[in-house]
Amino acid sequence: MLPRAMKWRTIALLGAAGYGAYRTAQRLGTPEGVVPLQPFTPARLAGRWYELARIDHAWQQGLVATTFDYVPEPGGAVRVLQRGYSQGARRWRQARGSLRPLHGAPLAHGQLSFLWPLRTSHIVFALDDDGQHALVCGPTHNDLWVLSRTPGVKAATRAALLQQARDAGFDTQRLHWVDQRRNTGAGWR
């Protein structure tokens, strides 16, 4: 049996380690050069978005025909459904998450969680006037998504989006362009 002082020390160390692990799971920063959109309302984000390009991450590798559906909920949160087709597994994969305002900030800089207690920044920093194309990033320059209301984009619009991303400090050479043929009806099934 441990002496009383050692028990409390062990409990304190375990608590500190648990808190440290929890804080490590919170990636809520803003990359240098990125400014969240102002003003911004959840209605501008609502609906289906096609992922045109992304800086690839392990959980998204091999996914094509990727979409994000944003559904505003009462209280200011937004339900997020990310869906993509895994060519390796030959099946659809999806993840459900919640996007909430961060520290009273407008939703253009929110915290996105697909799995508790993991949370990460979700920052909308570019959205064209007609709400058809957006640039979204995470807490670092390693997280970037180019989104569109349609599965394709005109060359001039693509160039403008890439320039906006470069101006915000992103290396657009790292972008992986997503095959959206499954969402257009043209191509394979």
Side-chain angles (χ1 to χ4, degrees):
M1 188 147 200
L2 294 174
R4 183 179 202 129
M6 195 171 211
K7 281 183 190 177
W8 285 110
R9 190 175 316 139
T10 302
I11 290 171
L13 286 172
L14 287 173
Y19 180 74
Y22 172 79
R23 292 300 297 167
T24 300
Q26 313 308 305
R27 298 180 51 223
L28 301 174
T30 304
E32 188 176 329
V34 172
V35 178
L37 281 181
Q38 296 289 344
F40 185 80
T41 62
R44 293 189 72 193
L45 191 60
R48 169 150 300 168
W49 290 87
Y50 296 90
E51 182 183 65
L52 299 179
R54 66 177 175 254
I55 294 178
D56 240 352
H57 292 281
W59 66 89
Q60 290 181 304
Q61 285 181 344
L63 291 184
V64 297
T66 313
T67 59
F68 288 87
D69 289 303
Y70 295 92
V71 181
E73 295 183 326
V78 174
R79 192 169 10 117
V80 180
L81 174 65
Q82 178 187 9
R83 186 170 189 252
Y85 187 78
S86 172
Q87 292 177 308
R90 295 186 179 189
R91 67 180 179 89
W92 288 96
R93 290 182 26 200
Q94 66 181 22
R96 296 178 192 275
S98 180
L99 177 60
R100 300 184 184 285
L102 180 64
H103 307 301
L107 198 60
H109 185 185
Q111 56 186 344
L112 179 62
S113 177
F114 285 105
L115 177 66
W116 184 88
L118 305 176
R119 296 181 297 170
T120 190
S121 288
H122 179 279
I123 305 163
V124 181
F125 68 95
L127 181 64
D128 58 11
D129 291 337
D130 57 355
Q132 296 300 300
H133 304 95
L135 294 174
V136 176
C137 71
T140 71
H141 284 107
N142 293 321
D143 307 295
L144 177 65
W145 294 267
V146 179
L147 305 179
S148 174
R149 295 286 188 183
T150 61
V153 64
K154 294 179 182 176
T157 303
R158 177 178 169 154
L161 289 166
L162 291 175
Q163 187 58 51
Q164 284 180 288
R166 281 191 292 272
D167 291 346
F170 290 93
D171 177 4
T172 58
Q173 296 298 313
R174 294 181 57 206
L175 284 171
H176 167 76
W177 290 90
V178 178
D179 182 353
Q180 288 289 349
R181 286 180 295 170
R182 193 173 266 278
N183 285 323
T184 64
W188 47 275
R189 282 269 173 226

